[in-house]
Amino acid sequence: MCGIIGYTGGKQAAKILLNGLKRLEYRGYDSSGVAVIDNNRIDVIKSIGKISALEDKTDGGKKLNGFVGIGHTRWATHGAPSDINSHPHLSTDGNFAVVHNGIIENFAELKAELTAKGIRFASETDSEVIAQLLQYVYDGDMVEALRNVTSRLVGSYAVGIITSHCPDTLYAVRKDNPLVVGIGANENFIASDFAAALEHTHNFVQLGDGEIAKLTSHSATFFTADGEPVEKTPFRVDWDISQAEKDGYDHFMLKEINEQPKALTATVRPRVKGKDIVLDRINFDAKNTNRIERITIIGCGSAYHAGIVGKSFIEKYCRISVTCELASEYIYSDPITDNRTLTIVISQSGETADSLAALRLAKKCGSHTIAIVNVMQSAIAREAHDVLYTHAGPEIAVATTKGYTTQVSALYLIGLKIAKIKHTISDARYETLLSEIITLPDKVSEILADITPIREYAERFADRKCVFFIGRGTDYAASLEGALKLKEISYIHAEAYAAGELKHGTISLIEQGTVTLALTTQSALYNKMLNNIKAVQSRGGTVLAISSQANKQISEQSDGMLCIPDCDDDVTPVLTAVILQIFAYCVAAKRGCDIDKPRNLAKSVTVE
Ligand code: M6R
């Protein structure tokens, strides 16, 4: 997904912009560009391909003088990847340059209107209309011009703007697309995420929908969509810049897999006070909790899978019916949601467009909403009634790892909290599960201490065309995430099936050498899984079991086995997830894939 960085201050802008763009590389892009104001003139340099190509073209930034500028990494939507279609886009008179994330849905009408007035467009993009409109409406007041332009735009946008009419000033405006303002000492920034500006400042302001930022090196002023000045209080982001660096690991994904003990601790420990679970400011009093008749968990991709794990845990212990919904489906459904429904929206980034739209719909239906989010002050975090941050630290790799496991543990905490209030769990079971959740980070560390056996299996199976994942109950939920991880980064076709479903169709796909990863951590379902494993083997399939200590004897019945540390059956998905993440990582590494930036994928999907 596209990335934005903007700078105004006392240093040479181009170098800071190039550096910021490198921090945004993980979002996925096909071209990049920078624009800087030098002597009241805007200079633009753009390049298709890697940022290193842009560095070459700009001689590491040296070719661009000036202290105010904007930069962009583009992920093509309207118009093929090319130098011309890359951002920043200039107005025909060269006085306005813009970078844009999002989609301008009515760009064709606007383009036709401006073309009829004699304005010539250089690119095929939707974004260029913003620069051209600015030229057209500007009448000496930039804030007024931006209000005028945004009132005509339909769609989602985060826009950074510079203009030779105000050569010291950087402007920004956003709607339904993330953009933060970094407040530094005698310098200010705009960025599509914190990582791009984090090495310069930890103080940020979140720009609200429709708001305009006007930044110089010494001032940061903000306006509502009506042009009224608005005060904004910066908040601090405690993330360390080293967290956004590889730190000696070959890939961010591997680093983030290894950060899970720390991330899980950060999600859980501050919320456990003695035997109590205190979920920040969320008001789980008896009256509110007993009113909940159903729970809807909403997310996309791995966040949705975390929801499915949460569903079995919450239903089992809270005795409340839980449905899991894909955000992209939920928003076009007619959901059965009201003020007795608790809606939990899960999103690592907090900016996923479908999840944000689903949250808004749930609120509109009268539901109380809780967001489980990693990125502070992101749109979903701000718009939900309550938020539970996972505190996993920045997640850079496109394939989520610590994002997912911390979401699962946050759902465990919510489930236990509700169960305790509703008296649907015994004290003894509550205490056992709480202590199991608290010790999960140590057990994850145990897995990470020696990944050799996982790597050996992964390398053995790395040449396969198709891998199946099967499990029952919460193992099935964990299988879904295992399969997604493998297909996402290794491009091997992977499918997860509820093991009992195999015989209803899928087993026809099993043939000599087909690999099936069978999750067997649920003791109560062990014998049933054994039957499924035998059915696969008798058709020539190879079975690698991912087992709990209690079910270790599965090794005699399977072709290979990886074991998770001893733990309660109800919390095994966090541990199996780690094994499956490492498995997917090692397969992808063996196949030489671009692990952190898998093809066609973006970290944060801010368009529908
Ligand atoms: O930021 P979100 O949690 O809302 O992202 C949701 C999905 O796009 C995300 O989990 C995606 O499926 C991951 N790339 C999977 O690894």
Side-chain angles (χ1 to χ4, degrees):
M1 203 54 55
C2 309
I4 289 177
I5 174 78
Y7 176 78
T8 172
K11 300 175 191 146
Q12 196 196 352
K15 284 188 184 164
I16 290 174
L17 299 176
L18 286 169
N19 210 22
L21 291 181
K22 282 197 231 153
R23 301 264 178 215
L24 293 171
E25 275 192 296
Y26 75 94
R27 294 167 71 101
Y29 69 104
D30 46 53
S31 51
S32 59
V34 286
V36 167
I37 303 185
D38 184 19
N39 278 327
N40 289 356
R41 202 193 66 215
I42 299 179
D43 292 330
V44 182
I45 300 185
K46 321 198 260 193
S47 177
I48 190 169
K50 296 277 175 202
I51 289 167
S52 51
L54 184 66
E55 284 184 304
D56 288 347
K57 269 192 168 178
T58 58
D59 192 13
K62 286 193 208 118
K63 281 193 186 158
L64 292 169
N65 295 314
F67 304 98
V68 180
I70 47 180
H72 191 260
T73 49
R74 174 174 189 249
W75 199 61
T77 55
H78 295 60
S82 69
D83 285 4
I84 292 281
N85 287 335
S86 315
H87 301 214
H89 290 290
L90 269 181
S91 57
T92 310
D93 66 5
N95 287 327
F96 300 87
V98 304
V99 286
H100 165 228
N101 287 358
I103 291 179
I104 305 303
E105 288 166 14
N106 61 337
F107 88 97
E109 294 144 57
L110 295 170
K111 190 169 177 175
E113 181 189 324
L114 291 167
T115 306
K117 294 184 193 311
I119 292 177
R120 284 204 325 277
F121 280 72
S123 78
E124 301 160 85
T125 66
D126 55 335
S127 311
E128 190 185 343
V129 293
I130 304 171
Q132 303 293 16
L133 265 177
L134 274 168
Q135 171 189 322
Y136 186 65
V137 305
Y138 181 74
D139 193 17
D141 182 337
M142 246 325 255
V143 171
E144 204 40 47
L146 282 168
R147 283 189 56 215
N148 190 333
V149 167
T150 50
S151 72
R152 307 211 47 201
L153 302 179
V154 176
S156 67
Y157 47 84
V159 189
I161 311 106
I162 54 174
T163 171
S164 55
H165 295 298
C166 315
D168 300 328
T169 313
L170 167 67
Y171 294 90
V173 61
R174 69 169 281 275
K175 179 175 160 278
D176 292 341
N177 218 286
L179 197 82
V180 291
V181 174
I183 309 291
N186 302 328
E187 56 185 3
N188 289 310
F189 304 81
I190 57 167
S192 46
D193 66 52
F194 303 126
L198 207 53
E199 68 192 272
H200 306 285
T201 182
H202 285 271
N203 297 321
F204 289 90
V205 164
Q206 193 60 261
L207 208 54
D209 259 0
E211 287 179 350
I212 297 165
K214 177 181 176 187
L215 311 170
T216 66
S217 55
H218 290 87
S219 67
T221 42
F222 302 93
F223 302 87
T224 65
D226 297 328
E228 296 301 319
V230 59
E231 285 291 320
K232 313 260 315 168
T233 312
F235 58 91
R236 193 175 161 77
V237 175
D238 279 328
W239 291 353
D240 189 330
I241 188 62
S242 69
Q243 288 181 292
E245 287 165 350
K246 280 193 207 150
D247 213 10
Y249 287 93
D250 286 344
H251 299 95
F252 279 112
M253 183 180 176
L254 187 59
K255 177 177 178 246
E256 288 157 9
I257 287 172
N258 278 278
E259 283 171 345
Q260 287 178 107
K262 195 169 155 209
L264 288 162
T265 305
T267 307
V268 172
R269 278 323 294 242
R271 275 115 186 196
V272 179
K273 317 270 183 217
K275 287 180 185 168
D276 282 341
I277 296 171
V278 181
L279 296 177
D280 306 353
R281 283 193 292 259
I282 306 180
N283 181 11
F284 272 122
D285 62 19
K287 189 167 159 240
N288 285 341
T289 308
N290 286 320
R291 279 189 61 189
I292 302 171
E293 284 181 3
R294 67 181 89 83
I295 296 177
T296 304
I297 305 181
I298 303 174
C300 301
S302 299
Y304 170 72
H305 293 159
I308 298 177
V309 174
K311 169 186 160 75
S312 33
F313 189 90
I314 295 171
E315 285 189 333
K316 180 169 180 182
Y317 291 107
C318 306
R319 311 310 301 156
I320 299 175
S321 164
V322 180
T323 51
C324 289
E325 304 280 352
L326 288 162
S328 54
E329 290 295 312
Y330 180 86
I331 51 181
Y332 296 110
S333 68
D334 185 2
I336 303 175
T337 298
D338 56 24
N339 60 2
R340 285 153 303 165
T341 309
L342 171 66
T343 303
I344 302 175
V345 177
I346 308 177
S347 174
Q348 186 283 131
S349 62
E351 300 288 354
T352 301
D354 289 327
S355 304
L356 180 60
L359 170 74
R360 289 175 179 164
L361 178 58
K363 283 175 78 177
K364 203 166 146 202
C365 294
S367 173
H368 187 79
T369 55
I370 297 178
I372 297 179
V373 166
N374 188 36
V375 178
M376 277 185 68
Q377 293 289 321
S378 50
I380 292 172
R382 281 179 287 126
E383 292 197 24
H385 294 105
D386 288 311
V387 58
L388 198 62
Y389 286 113
T390 48
H391 297 307
E395 193 176 64
I396 307 291
V398 165
T400 182
T401 51
K402 60 179 181 173
Y404 168 81
T405 48
T406 53
Q407 287 161 356
V408 170
S409 58
L411 286 166
Y412 289 158
L413 291 180
I414 291 176
L416 275 189
K417 178 80 188 173
I418 294 176
K420 179 88 168 144
I421 294 172
K422 285 176 65 75
H423 304 292
T424 44
I425 191 170
S426 71
D427 287 350
R429 189 72 187 127
Y430 171 88
E431 281 168 32
T432 304
L433 283 171
L434 189 54
S435 107
E436 285 284 336
I437 294 164
I438 290 169
T439 52
L440 278 173
D442 292 341
K443 293 171 185 176
V444 171
S445 297
E446 239 180 273
I447 297 172
L448 296 172
D450 181 15
I451 65 165
T452 315
I454 311 175
R455 181 186 293 122
E456 283 171 0
Y457 283 118
E459 293 186 348
R460 195 167 123 200
F461 299 138
D463 61 346
R464 301 305 158 101
K465 290 214 159 36
C466 176
V467 174
F468 287 95
F469 291 71
I470 57 170
R472 284 170 179 264
T474 201
D475 276 344
Y476 166 57
S479 302
L480 291 166
E481 177 59 8
L484 176 61
K485 221 67 318 159
L486 186 65
K487 63 186 126 186
E488 169 172 42
I489 59 167
S490 76
Y491 317 142
I492 292 178
H493 179 234
E495 287 298 334
Y497 275 91
E501 269 293 294
L502 278 184
K503 58 186 177 293
H504 296 290
T506 321
I507 201 151
S508 64
L509 294 170
I510 306 287
E511 55 187 12
Q512 196 66 36
T514 307
V515 172
T516 299
L517 270 62
L519 276 63
T520 54
T521 73
Q522 301 301 295
S523 297
L525 300 166
Y526 178 74
N527 287 330
K528 298 287 169 203
M529 279 303 295
L530 214 50
N531 294 340
N532 300 132
I533 287 171
K534 283 185 179 145
V536 169
Q537 286 172 324
S538 61
R539 274 125 189 123
T542 306
V543 174
L544 171 61
I546 316 292
S547 176
S548 56
Q549 299 287 336
N551 298 334
K552 250 178 165 172
Q553 71 272 27
I554 195 81
S555 66
E556 291 151 27
Q557 314 294 330
S558 52
D559 304 288
M561 184 191 68
L562 293 165
C563 224
I564 57 170
D566 194 22
C567 78
D568 192 280
D569 281 10
D570 284 332
V571 297
T572 59
V574 168
L575 302 181
T576 48
V578 176
I579 290 190
L580 297 179
Q581 292 162 359
I582 298 167
F583 180 83
Y585 174 84
C586 294
V587 169
K590 178 80 180 166
R591 289 165 69 92
C593 299
D594 191 354
I595 294 180
D596 285 336
K597 284 170 272 166
R599 67 184 180 208
N600 307 336
L601 285 171
K603 180 64 181 164
S604 172
V605 187
T606 51
V607 291
E608 235 190 80

